[in-house]
Amino acid sequence: MKVLVFIESDEGKIKKSSLEAVSYATEITQDTVAMAFGDLESSELNKIGAAGAKKVLHVTDSDFEPSNIMAVSMAIAQVFEAEDIDLMVMAKSSLADPVSARVSIKIDASLVSNVTDLPDMANGFTVNRSIYTGKAFAKTRLTSDKKILTIRKNTVPIRENGLDPKIVVFQPYSKGSDASVKVMSQEKTSSDILLPEADIVVSGGRGLKGPENWGMIEDLAAALAAATGCSKPVSDMDWRPHHEHVGQTGVKVSPTLYIAVGISGAIQHLAGVNSSKFILVINKDPEAPFFKAADYGIVGDAFEVLPQLTKAIQAAKG
Amino acid sequence: MKILVCITHVPDTTSKISFVDQDTVFDKTGVQFIIGPYDDYALARAVELKEQLGGSIAALNVGLAETEPTIRKALAIGADEAIRINAEPKDAFFVAHQIAQVVKRGDYDLILMGRESIDFNGGQVHGMVGELLGIPSVSPVMHLDIEGNVARLSREIEGGKELLEVALPIVAGCQEPIAEWKIPNMRGIMSARSKPLNVLDPFEDEQKTVIENFVMPAAKSGVKMIDADNVGELVDLLKNEAKVF
Ligand SMILES: Cc1cc2nc3c(=O)[nH]c(=O)nc-3n(C[C@H](O)[C@H](O)[C@H](O)COP(=O)(O)OP(=O)(O)OC[C@H]3O[C@@H](n4cnc5c(N)ncnc54)[C@H](O)[C@@H]3O)c2cc1C
Ligand SMILES: Nc1ncnc2c1ncn2[C@@H]1O[C@H](COP(=O)(O)O)[C@@H](O)[C@H]1O
């Protein structure tokens, strides 16, 4: 089985979730090829080898910017043929969604997204995927010869012991362009840890009373190198930006640790966090429904507990 | 402006999910079905665009007869006609194929969908439909305006947003705050009864994935409560059990 991994990067840094996808592929085969786009230093490309890929196809032609989804999809379809790929693995993301969908049509592949574990290949090819916004899983068989998976975070640990890969510049032979799609501008918070990528997320809810109190959330997040999130009312009231809101209608996260402060734990919020490995809930109401979904709980006033916790973590980390 | 809005018929967001027949069939007992929340945003924006620019809205669902109350609700909210492809929505590819065939026959300028369905959460159908038709697809879209033949839209990206201009026709996967959900009023509900709901046979039968069975998540082993005056104990657990630092 030959496996292709689609690599995403952000400001010259390869995303951790993409390295996880490489590690995932390497659990399936010794024959992993990765495909990366744009300006990337060889030290970054070597991380792909460390995660297990033997070969990296590097597309440096700027017509294949990742936002150029139709062109990128075409380039991937070409690699499927040139390298005789059976399976493509990619980390689930807002880029992976359209790219995987388009490539699946071009090459007539079975596509399953939100995959949560390694495939069972004993009898055909089946995977578990998360459905009903994390409330259940579906064991799903891929019936076509060619297959594509988009995987959820925390599916396998990231490998770091592989060798430097063979790096080959890949020039797609035709430029399928998105001439009709023009990017006019981009606004991005660049310094922050991206929420869907984060290993730890600290989220605040309406219990924090107002945007002026977010310093406490940010301090705890900084102490843990975590990303910050929030509940829906918090973004509805513009206390925090929309892309931070977690849940059914927001971002779905699956970090190692999710910390919920002053969030009641409505079913629509839980839907976005229930695949977190550990959940810590801090709420002054012992009856808050979130405690039922938690691993650790503190009943207390966030305004008192948070500063103490931040200090204790700083001390423990030295 | 001819707008097609693709709607799903899905369990209400507060539903408890369970399965029967050795976990092979979704248990619909007591479950309230709704228009997918993101599809509802798409529909609401379609109604606003029609008010502004004129034209017509068709609502489309791929599903069996059980989805008709949900489709009628879309008519009550403001769609002019509805199409139901009479088939079980077997997988994203099957659904995308049906939608693409409808678009080819109906010559739509704008195909609006939700960012994702809340039953299968694939976020796949828009990209597939775009590819099948050879046109761009953009998702998740937070603002959408039409000027002549051009759609101006903003799309959420990780950690921010992006403004795009795209020539029509396009497929857009919508999410808030593109429009406020619309609640059908009495007049809408009355007129929905007489609006056309055309039932079509599915276009050729293809699917590329098969669900073998469903699995419920493992139950949490129970929460460890820690005294608010003893954050040290929590820090120990985070360090030695959760191993986050
Ligand atoms: C279709 C639909 C989709 C939705 N999607 C989402 C979604 O994606 N994400 C989402 O979050 N919500 C979503 N919601 C809303 C959801 O139902 C809840 O209303 C929302 O999650 C509540 O937010 P909250 O917990 O911040 O606020 P509240 O429910 O008001 O809870 C505040 C909590 O803070 C606690 N508190 C107050 N003061 C303190 C203090 N000093 N210290 C500690 N704790 C304190 C209170 O005990 C309470 O538990 C959706 C709703 C619908 C209908
Ligand atoms: N059975 C269906 N009938 C009509 N539209 C659908 C159907 N399934 C999915 N869609 C549309 O495709 C979008 C994305 O769905 P999905 O790829 O399943 O997340 C939904 O929000 C709908 O707009």
Side-chain angles (χ1 to χ4, degrees):
Chain A
M1 166 144 325
K2 203 161 172 196
V3 185
L4 176 67
V5 181
F6 173 76
I7 303 288
E8 279 187 58
S9 56
D10 186 47
E11 292 173 7
K13 288 256 176 295
I14 289 174
K15 283 186 167 184
K16 252 169 74 185
S17 55
S18 291
L19 297 175
E20 192 177 321
V22 174
S23 308
Y24 180 100
T26 308
E27 297 280 339
I28 301 174
T29 182
Q30 287 304 306
D31 207 357
T32 302
V33 180
M35 195 172 176
F37 295 79
D39 266 346
L40 292 164
E41 306 264 341
S42 58
S43 59
E44 279 299 307
L45 293 170
N46 286 342
K47 287 186 187 165
I48 303 172
K54 295 279 185 300
K55 180 164 152 186
V56 178
L57 300 175
H58 188 194
V59 180
T60 50
D61 184 335
S62 62
D63 280 353
F64 294 86
E65 289 261 313
S67 62
N68 210 341
I69 286 162
M70 289 163 97
V72 166
S73 305
M74 177 175 290
I76 292 172
Q78 286 170 21
V79 168
F80 252 92
E81 228 194 285
E83 300 276 329
D84 204 10
I85 301 293
D86 303 293
L87 167 69
M88 173 160 72
V89 177
M90 49 214 299
K92 167 97 177 163
S93 74
S94 58
L95 180 60
D97 283 349
V99 169
S100 60
R102 286 193 174 261
V103 175
S104 78
I105 299 293
K106 284 185 192 292
I107 63 165
D108 212 11
S110 295
L111 163 59
V112 175
S113 61
N114 285 311
V115 171
T116 56
D117 61 4
L118 287 164
D120 177 352
M121 296 186 289
N123 175 15
F125 191 104
T126 56
V127 286
N128 278 304
R129 64 173 157 143
S130 164
I131 56 169
Y132 293 106
T133 323
K135 292 179 195 166
F137 301 94
K139 188 173 176 208
T140 307
R141 176 177 298 276
L142 291 84
T143 52
S144 303
D145 290 345
K146 307 273 181 204
K147 300 171 177 67
I148 303 176
L149 304 176
T150 76
I151 63 169
R152 290 287 294 263
K153 196 178 143 51
N154 263 332
T155 304
V156 296
I158 297 177
R159 292 174 181 241
E160 285 170 352
N161 55 0
L163 304 173
D164 284 354
K166 188 171 150 203
I167 297 168
V168 182
V169 172
F170 180 76
Q171 179 61 50
Y173 55 75
S174 116
K175 300 187 179 177
S177 85
D178 295 15
S180 59
V181 181
K182 279 193 221 118
V183 179
M184 309 307 285
S185 68
Q186 231 185 41
E187 277 170 40
K188 238 176 126 193
T189 45
S190 54
S191 54
D192 297 348
I193 301 164
L194 292 175
L195 184 52
E197 287 275 295
D199 227 15
I200 307 179
V201 176
V202 184
S203 259
R206 199 145 55 178
L208 281 149
K209 310 280 189 285
E212 66 280 8
N213 298 321
W214 240 259
M216 297 188 308
I217 295 282
E218 278 159 357
D219 289 347
L220 178 58
L224 287 164
T228 54
C230 65
S231 67
K232 185 170 189 298
V234 165
S235 70
D236 286 348
M237 292 180 293
D238 274 338
W239 295 359
R240 301 296 297 174
H242 183 270
H243 60 78
E244 275 200 5
H245 113 246
V246 171
Q248 181 103 45
T249 54
V251 184
K252 281 118 205 137
V253 295
S254 41
T256 306
L257 176 64
Y258 185 79
I259 303 180
V261 187
I263 304 178
S264 57
I267 192 160
Q268 294 98 348
H269 187 85
L270 296 182
V273 307
N274 50 15
S275 54
S276 308
K277 240 187 204 157
F278 292 91
I279 294 177
L280 162 62
V281 170
I282 300 170
N283 196 302
K284 70 174 185 191
D285 174 9
E287 302 296 324
F290 219 142
F291 285 118
K292 291 204 179 69
D295 300 278
Y296 311 123
I298 290 188
V299 176
D301 186 341
F303 292 79
E304 285 161 24
V305 176
L306 275 190
Q308 283 180 38
L309 181 59
T310 303
K311 225 188 261 164
I313 286 168
Q314 281 162 343
K317 286 181 102 171
Chain B
M1 172 76 41
K2 268 189 89 175
I3 308 175
L4 182 70
V5 183
C6 302
I7 59 165
T8 53
H9 162 85
V10 290
D12 170 36
T13 57
T14 56
S15 305
K16 286 235 153 62
I17 304 297
S18 62
F19 304 97
V20 289
D21 289 355
Q22 272 102 45
D23 286 339
T24 57
V25 177
F26 176 71
D27 186 0
K28 293 175 188 159
T29 323
V31 172
Q32 166 97 26
F33 282 84
I34 57 168
I35 299 176
Y38 299 109
D39 312 338
D40 230 352
Y41 287 119
L43 180 60
R45 188 61 191 144
V47 171
E48 293 173 358
L49 286 172
K50 184 191 148 183
E51 276 166 14
Q52 187 192 329
L53 306 164
S56 65
I57 302 170
L60 168 65
N61 172 258
V62 181
L64 299 175
E66 62 190 1
T67 72
E68 289 201 358
T70 303
I71 301 176
R72 287 275 173 218
K73 192 176 164 211
L75 290 170
I77 288 172
D80 301 292
E81 57 164 330
I83 303 164
R84 180 169 68 81
I85 305 285
N86 187 25
E88 188 82 48
K90 296 182 184 120
D91 69 358
F93 178 76
F94 176 83
V95 169
H97 188 72
Q98 306 302 316
I99 296 174
Q101 293 299 326
V102 170
V103 176
K104 277 185 189 155
R105 282 162 179 75
D107 211 15
Y108 295 93
D109 305 298
L110 187 58
I111 300 112
L112 298 185
M113 303 192 184
R115 158 183 131 178
E116 66 177 39
S117 58
I118 65 160
D119 48 3
F120 292 116
N121 311 105
Q124 298 170 346
V125 170
H126 11 82
M128 287 182 174
V129 170
E131 185 65 29
L132 286 165
L133 297 169
I135 60 175
S137 63
V138 183
S139 181
V141 173
M142 302 172 76
H143 295 280
L144 168 65
D145 284 303
I146 306 288
E147 253 173 64
N149 191 34
V150 174
R152 288 181 216 289
L153 27 89
S154 83
R155 181 175 92 88
E156 190 160 77
I157 53 175
E158 273 136 29
K161 64 181 174 189
E162 195 171 71
L163 299 181
L164 302 172
E165 282 187 8
V166 193
L168 299 178
I170 57 160
V171 182
C174 304
Q175 75 171 22
E176 62 180 358
I178 194 161
E180 296 266 342
W181 283 328
K182 297 202 176 347
I183 297 158
N185 58 25
M186 213 46 208
R187 222 185 81 220
I189 294 168
M190 297 303 287
S191 68
R193 292 190 193 150
S194 55
K195 287 179 179 171
L197 194 171
N198 303 309
V199 180
L200 304 182
D201 284 334
F203 302 92
E204 129 199 16
D205 189 21
E206 278 197 81
Q207 77 187 97
K208 294 182 189 296
T209 60
V210 180
I211 295 182
E212 304 216 311
N213 60 274
F214 298 101
V215 182
M216 292 303 288
K220 284 266 172 195
S221 58
V223 54
K224 265 185 208 154
M225 296 306 292
I226 296 131
D227 201 90
D229 298 323
N230 198 2
V231 291
E233 186 189 338
L234 177 62
V235 172
D236 276 349
L237 286 166
L238 295 181
K239 187 169 177 181
N240 300 317
E241 194 177 79
K243 298 195 167 52
V244 290
F245 55 86

